[in-house]
Amino acid sequence: MSAPRNKQDRQAFGRLSLPERTFVANALRTETVGGVLLLVAAIAALVWSNIPALHHSYEAVSDFHLGPGALGLDLSIEHWAADGLLAVFFFVAGIELKRELVAGDLRDPKAAALPVVAALCGMATPALVYVVVNAIGGGSMSGWAVPTATDIAFALAVLAVIGTSLPSALRAFLLTLAVVDDLFAILIIAVFFTDDLNFAALGGAFLGLAVFWLLLRKRVRGWYIYVPLALAIWGLMYNSGVHATIAGVAMGLMLRCHREEGEEQSPGEHIEHLVRPLSAGLAVPLFALFSAGVAVSGGAIGDVFTKPETLGVVLGLVLGKAVGIFGGTWLTARFTKASLSDELAWPDVFAVASLAGIGFTVSLLIGELAFTDDPLLTDEIKAAVLMGSLIAAVISSVLLKIRNAKYRALYETENRDEDLDGIPDIYEQDKPEYHLRMAEIYERKAAEHRRLAQVAAGAGGEDERPA
């Protein structure tokens, strides 16, 4: 007869292990800062492109070309931001995915089932919503993939702005969901948005990746080796017709993300720690600055809700994401007989699912790829992404604020450290030495209170003073 499973193992959104909790906290802290910068960049782009006196300068800067034309890299600033800087973002996404596969939630198929199914449903449902809307309205099916992506940095920026103390389990779910979401977004870009292939350049890119992998296996060190090689791989991938960000993902996945004996960090964790600030603090905000500059007049906003392509994007992000992720999570929990954590309720899951409807960075990128032959529709799709993300942010903010008092209590419980040993008490409660240490602390506090009471009553003598 097999041993009964621990209740924690049967719970969806149960408490994280301490190492995983620490990693998630550090990762989300950087993403939150990056999300705030992303928000600032998006607002700056809207202001810059919508003030009549500045509009032409925005277009002039966005369209300014630079780069070696002989290598096929004479690109506009906007193009460099989308194909070049976002490769850094996807490089970090590749490392995150590799870490999740070897050391995070995705290494265990049972634990991985919930975020993977939720992410798949959270991508399929928005695409289905878009297709249905455009089938009824007679619009273009080219943008079906636009509302499928979640922007974790923007979502965390919303959490930072509204000040909600979201429990670590829900934050970890959001992060894991976004990692899986990024993986499938990468596959969509690679499969559906690849131009005519240049097999010579593609072969050169694969050869460069093989050399990159071999150097890693041989434990060769030195940024002066890897950075030029990475740039060469990126340039070859760009010229091959495959979207250049795929090169970043591939190199990220090749890094070793498990720790060996005596290591405080794996090479992947170390490089991610170095590169993530560059991605969150520079690459993604600059992409937003040169991609979010669309006209936001009353007429343009009204058009978002009248054209089938743009309406499909808005409904996909707002409705499709929330229903897809919530439905996928509920079905997975239902058919795996997993129960929701005692401290949470299903409306909490729906609120987080609504938050995932913020699909800024990758949605803007896919919007540009889907309608390259129609610049006007591209701008309208961008406006739809902004509007859908804004609506999703407002809805999720209201839902999360309603439960914020409960979240704050959970957050305080998760972080309480009465014995000041740097480890939250909730992770030590099953240890006998913890209870002994806590008893000693409470006894010292009680003795101090008794002594202070005696002093206040004048029974302590002249030499007694409160500590």
Side-chain angles (χ1 to χ4, degrees):
M1 180 176 176
S2 61
R5 292 198 307 172
N6 184 281
K7 184 178 181 182
Q8 183 74 18
D9 295 334
R10 300 198 307 271
Q11 287 185 338
F13 309 106
R15 191 172 72 238
L16 304 177
S17 66
L18 184 58
E20 185 69 9
R21 179 182 178 276
T22 303
F23 172 81
V24 168
N26 291 336
L28 293 180
R29 191 176 298 113
T30 304
E31 291 286 3
T32 301
V33 174
V36 173
L37 292 175
L38 177 62
L39 184 60
V40 171
I43 294 172
L46 290 171
V47 172
W48 189 2
S49 62
N50 282 277
I51 294 179
L54 300 176
H55 173 72
H56 293 296
S57 65
Y58 180 82
E59 289 189 344
V61 173
S62 298
D63 294 338
F64 183 78
H65 279 62
L66 71 160
L71 299 178
L73 297 175
D74 182 17
L75 310 178
S76 67
I77 295 293
E78 182 181 0
H79 210 160
W80 275 111
D83 285 313
L85 290 177
L86 275 197
V88 179
F89 166 79
F90 280 107
F91 174 70
V92 173
I95 300 175
E96 288 177 339
L97 177 62
K98 179 66 173 290
R99 188 204 164 275
E100 288 291 333
L101 290 170
V102 302
D105 288 344
L106 300 183
R107 75 184 186 281
D108 179 2
K110 292 181 180 179
L114 191 143
V116 170
V117 172
L120 282 172
C121 292
M123 299 186 80
T125 308
L128 180 61
V129 169
Y130 180 93
V131 168
V132 169
V133 170
N134 282 270
I136 295 172
S140 170
M141 295 294 179
S142 299
W144 64 269
V146 175
T148 60
T150 293
D151 194 312
I152 181 64
F154 218 135
L156 292 171
V158 170
L159 290 179
V161 169
I162 66 174
T164 185
S165 303
L166 200 65
S168 60
L170 285 176
R171 288 178 179 264
F173 173 71
L174 185 60
L175 179 62
T176 306
L177 187 77
V179 170
V180 179
D181 192 291
D182 284 343
L183 168 64
F184 289 110
I186 291 160
L187 293 176
I188 287 173
I189 291 171
V191 174
F192 296 100
F193 297 104
T194 294
D195 300 326
D196 295 334
L197 292 178
N198 180 330
F199 288 100
L202 186 62
F206 279 122
L207 179 61
L209 288 171
V211 173
F212 189 88
W213 177 81
L214 185 62
L215 291 173
L216 291 173
R217 285 293 300 267
K218 296 294 185 181
R219 308 294 175 93
V220 176
R221 297 178 180 271
W223 65 267
Y224 46 84
I225 296 175
Y226 289 102
V227 171
L229 179 59
L231 292 174
I233 293 170
W234 175 86
L236 288 165
M237 190 69 75
Y238 174 82
N239 282 287
S240 73
V242 177
H243 200 269
T245 54
I246 304 300
V249 179
M251 287 184 279
L253 286 170
M254 289 182 181
L255 294 174
R256 177 169 62 82
C257 291
H258 64 274
R259 300 179 187 181
E260 295 182 346
E261 188 176 352
E263 284 185 336
E264 293 185 3
Q265 285 185 315
S266 66
E269 290 173 316
H270 175 66
I271 293 173
E272 182 186 9
H273 179 73
L274 295 176
V275 179
R276 184 188 286 275
L278 176 64
S279 169
L282 181 66
V284 175
L286 281 178
F287 168 75
L289 181 64
F290 292 109
S291 294
V294 295
V296 190
S297 63
I301 293 175
D303 289 344
V304 165
F305 298 98
T306 58
K307 290 190 175 182
E309 294 89 352
T310 51
L311 182 60
V313 169
V314 172
L315 292 179
L317 289 172
V318 176
L319 182 64
K321 273 289 183 182
V323 172
I325 292 172
F326 179 82
T329 304
W330 186 86
L331 289 172
T332 304
R334 173 71 177 81
F335 289 104
T336 60
K337 297 181 180 180
S339 62
L340 196 65
S341 175
D342 294 336
E343 296 87 2
L344 300 173
W346 282 109
D348 299 317
V349 181
F350 186 81
V352 172
S354 300
L355 188 66
I358 300 174
F360 190 75
T361 305
V362 180
S363 290
L364 289 176
L365 175 62
I366 295 177
E368 292 181 354
L369 297 174
F371 298 102
T372 52
D373 296 331
D374 191 341
L376 178 60
L377 186 54
T378 298
D379 283 346
E380 292 172 340
I381 290 294
K382 288 181 179 181
V385 170
L386 294 174
M387 184 58 63
S389 298
L390 177 61
I391 295 172
V394 171
I395 292 174
S396 58
S397 297
V398 172
L399 295 176
L400 291 170
K401 269 298 186 181
I402 292 172
R403 292 273 289 170
N404 199 39
K406 178 67 175 178
Y407 296 153
R408 190 178 297 111
L410 290 174
Y411 182 83
E412 291 173 355
T413 300
E414 287 180 355
N415 291 276
R416 186 175 294 117
D417 185 14
E418 293 279 358
D419 54 357
L420 303 176
D421 65 348
I423 300 176
D425 297 336
I426 200 168
Y427 290 96
E428 300 182 295
Q429 290 178 356
D430 296 331
K431 299 178 181 179
E433 60 270 20
Y434 167 78
H435 294 285
L436 178 61
R437 189 162 63 246
M438 292 304 295
E440 293 173 350
I441 290 172
Y442 289 133
E443 179 56 34
R444 286 200 303 270
K445 287 184 177 180
E448 183 66 15
H449 289 157
R450 289 194 297 270
R451 194 165 71 83
L452 289 172
Q454 290 174 350
V455 172
E462 294 183 358
D463 293 334
E464 290 194 65
R465 297 287 187 274

